[in-house]
Amino acid sequence: MRATPFFAALLLSATTLCIAHGAPLPDTTTAVSTAVSTTATAGAAVATDSRADFLKNIVRVAVTAQPYDFARPWSKRAPTSRRALGTVLEGNRILVTAEVVANATYIELESPDGEQKQPARVECVDYEADLALLKPESDDFFKTRPGVRFVTPQVGDSLSILQLEANGNPLFSKGPMTTAEVVRYPIDDSSFLVGRLNVPLQIRESTQSLPLFKEGKLAGVMLRYDAQSSLLDFIPAAVVEHFLKDALKTPYEGFPRMGCSFSVTRDPQLRRYLGLNGNNGGVLITQMLKDGPAEKGGLRKGDVLLEIAGNPIDSDGNYRDETYGRISLGHLVCTKNFEGEKVKVRLLREGKPVEAEVPVARRHPEKYLSEPYIIDRAPNYYVLGGLILQELSRQYLKEFGADWARKAPLDLVNIDRTQGETDQEARQRVVVLSRVLPSDVTVGYEDLRHLVLKAINGRAINGLSDVPAALSKPEGGVHRVELQGDPSVIFLDAKAVEAVGPSLLRSYGLPALSRLQ
Amino acid sequence: MQPRWLLPLRPVHSRLRPFLCFLLLGLVQFSLTPLVRAADPNVVRKSLARISNTSQEPNYRQPWLPGVTMSSSGTGWVVSKNRILTNAHVVSNARFLTLEKERDPKKYIAEVEHIAHDCDLAILKVQDPAFFTGTIPLDLGGIPEIETEVSVYGYPIGGDRLSVTRGVVSRVDFRPYAHSGIDSHLTIQIDAAINPGNSGGPVLQKGKVVGVAFQGFSGDVAQNVGYMIPTPVIRRFLTDIADGTYDRYMDLSLTTFNTLNPALRAGLGLPNNDLGVLVSSVASAGVCSGYVLPGDVILAVDGLAVASDGTVEIENERIQMAEVAERKFRGDSIKMRLLRDHKELETTIPLSNAWPFPMQANQFDVQPTYVLFGGLLFQPLSRNLLSSVQFQNPRLNYFFEAFVPKEIYKEHPEVIVLSNILADPINTYLNEFKEGVVEEINSTPVRTLKDVSEAFSKPVDFYVVKFIGNGRPLVLERAAVESARERIRTRYGLQREQNLEANSR
């Protein structure tokens, strides 16, 4: 379940369909009635108009999305459509998961009964936390929609998941929240708190971004659902509320991190080796992000982190959360703090206690050597006489399919996977000769692909933006292009490269020879 | 044109199967004089032998165990007075070999005298000289013409007695040899039926052996595609072993790139004559290291002009430049005319040794090496290991694939993997390290398995193993390991805690 690919939520599989229309209907009916009866215990008034209340604050969201084609970076893929549910929040905002609006070209809101429609735009989006806020064209849309309030879901709570029938009636499924855990979100590098419950869901037109309620208040938004195990992961209110506070700031800052990796210290042999005999907890810092928050705060590789903001850290890297009990310190750092805040930590360095302050900060995707995701943004490229130059990113590697880590060229995968180990600067980009559009200029080079570009005319290439300048000085009328691998060097006729441009545009239907943004 | 290793060092993925053999032997005699009569099965049969091999496959998952025994069979033939030629894959990992002749109830015990896994050929010797009574060595011919008819002799599945099938020569080409998985040599494709058990058998034309049947495609891939090892490869093998040892093929260990592009030619300073191939990389552990540099252009090899696509003309055929080195032996040298920085120069490269790091090839007749310490199993990465254990860590695939191109061997002549953990209280917290690549132990870099063994034999309180990557170190206390030693030995039935010698048998 953790390895669910980015748009997995879209793929509610055929199995779900069978199950939904098969036997379990009675179960679901039971679930619905339980949902209603539980609400009833909260108070008679709520029980009578709860359905209407719910519906007031739910909208259907229809999205047409067109992702960029990283194998042909000048073009977009065929448009696809998604349908999801949005939840109206207080203050005229509509909450959906970020996956719903990824690469959106057109977004439309619909009332549950389908009578009211209104185009909308994305006001704020965080793909790491997988949350987005939508704004309709007109605020009139909110007149009859007061917005929901939040509630903190707890393990053991019974939560209702809302879906919509085609006719606009609500369909509730209900299940107990079993787990609160810090796990990966769809963007591979980001971990946040996730609530999990076991609930059989029926398949309906809109199965993304479903809201979860507890006693009429919003407990979270569905992140993903696994039809086989009936396990549903949701983004709990704590993460949503952090996002909303950040969304008020310009520019959007997002969830801050420490900028170091750590390792658990349960192993008693390791503890004795580290001299941790007298203590119970603490995690070992194994890697520092260069110029990252932890480094700025004076932390060092090899330090043992004992306490964050007054919370003791155990040997598994957990702290005791007031709501969720023992959960990973990741939640403490990223959800309970905001960008730029100084977090007090206590350390053990060579057996001596040390105190420090870490100015926590988010690591922006642009700061990676190989960007973990590129969404809503056109990939840069440069067509050099037919050689297609692109910047390496995980999005580029994902063109090789779900099994990209095995199918993509291994040396490129290795750069992406080990960027945390090898290149801590991460201010540079890796430029790749991805493929060749054969032309007069590229005779003999037709089969070159996925090769790392090192230099052009002796100038190191650390990003596509370095390319035009490097091309300004050909030696003896030829461009010398140095590659990592086979071949190590190729040459292009400078004048011929200029001359072939128009015919490349014409014969391959390119809109432009480059995009450098 | 994709750059390629002149002699392939990289694994070749192919659905080619060596025809592991399941059948008979026969021995045939053929008369020396009338060539037409020699093709008569009754004559050839006297020089044929059915080879039965009881082999033992090494166990890479539990390398302390002796491995599973299996039996298979193939065909062999008398190549000279008292030598039998067959495929290497017919007699690989042999523990006990017997030969049978037709019309002779006796089983003759044989031994491998020479085995060449890189070209899938082997020579057997027979203890009892009586075996050769009445046998006549078959003569070697040349490369048969395309479309001419050939006959395949052997003991394939489907019956017990000698089988002869007939077909024509379809083509002559450089092809991968499936046995080692990484070598390519000249092969001849024929459309005669070749089936399991045919392996090692002679293919005859006009009474002379023109090849040894050795591999083909399984039926769902292609029809009537069989391959034989042609006589230049057989002759090279026989010449190589003439001094008593097989030295393997010499490998230039460099990669090249075409010089078809006019700007590339101009940039390199090449005239417009379609000659010369660009050197893109030179393996530092290979024979050309120090003689050829990346960026050089090879203009000629042993006086043969190299065309811009990397081919040379030999015997009226355009063929990969590699063929020149293919025909050489250890101790020979190869002459190259190079263009370096726009200046021509001549260099003579001594072919001193074959490529020293065969971990990317299938290996046979070797015992798995390993070190077991505190229940942790350390093994060097190899094709054999990867085909027995399904690793999940993509880093291991990278180290395997990049071993030669990225010269991993410079720092890691052996890539040491923590391949498995035999569970015990002392290693219960160590599962996260499984499939990791060892970088150093107690601050000493680990280059080979020997380094692991040595590091663990030092009397220190803590053994601290650092793996490649950014995780924590693995820590084992000596006292804990020693107290667990007997327990682990008994629980898992370990006969030996380490084997450092691949040729220990």
Side-chain angles (χ1 to χ4, degrees), chain A residues 7 10 61-65 80-84 99-103 208:
Chain A
F7 292 114
L10 275 178
V61 182
V63 175
T64 307
T80 54
S81 50
R82 304 177 196 134
R83 294 183 70 84
E99 284 167 272
V100 172
V101 297
N103 297 307
Q208 266 192 291

Side-chain angles (χ1 to χ4, degrees), chain B residues 21-25 49-55 70-75 90-91 94 96-100 107-108 110 124:
Chain B
C21 335
F22 302 99
L23 287 193
L24 316 182
L25 136 137
R50 178 180 190 247
I51 303 170
S52 299
N53 177 10
T54 305
S55 60
M70 299 191 299
S71 17
S72 59
S73 71
T75 310
V90 172
V91 294
F96 187 69
L97 286 173
T98 56
L99 303 183
E100 295 159 77
K107 288 197 176 199
Y108 295 88
L124 309 183

Side-chain angles (χ1 to χ4, degrees), chain A residues 356-376:
Chain A
E357 284 191 334
V358 178
V360 291
R362 171 171 165 239
R363 188 177 180 203
H364 289 258
E366 305 84 59
K367 291 271 173 73
Y368 286 75
L369 179 69
S370 163
E371 286 188 70
Y373 61 95
I374 299 178
I375 301 173
D376 298 332

Side-chain angles (χ1 to χ4, degrees), chain B residues 408-484:
Chain B
I408 305 281
Y409 54 81
K410 279 169 122 175
E411 286 188 15
H412 299 278
E414 289 182 319
V415 176
I416 305 300
V417 184
L418 172 54
S419 53
N420 204 357
I421 297 178
L422 306 181
D424 184 85
I426 63 157
N427 56 41
T428 181
Y429 291 99
L430 304 180
N431 262 330
E432 64 185 278
F433 296 104
K434 215 162 141 180
E435 301 191 9
V437 175
V438 179
E439 188 168 17
E440 51 183 53
I441 300 178
N442 289 345
S443 303
T444 307
V446 167
R447 294 170 51 81
T448 62
L449 192 65
K450 270 202 180 84
D451 295 341
V452 176
S453 171
E454 274 167 26
F456 286 144
S457 60
K458 281 181 187 153
V460 291
D461 290 343
F462 291 100
Y463 298 103
V464 183
V465 184
K466 192 183 171 315
F467 290 83
I468 292 178
N470 56 5
R472 69 172 172 103
L474 179 157
V475 177
L476 279 175
E477 286 168 319
R478 183 160 63 111
V481 175
E482 276 171 11
S483 70

Side-chain angles (χ1 to χ4, degrees), chain A residues 272-288:
Chain A
R272 286 193 282 271
Y273 171 68
L274 294 174
L276 293 176
N277 311 8
N279 300 287
N280 293 320
V283 289
L284 178 67
I285 297 179
T286 53
Q287 171 109 39
M288 306 289 291

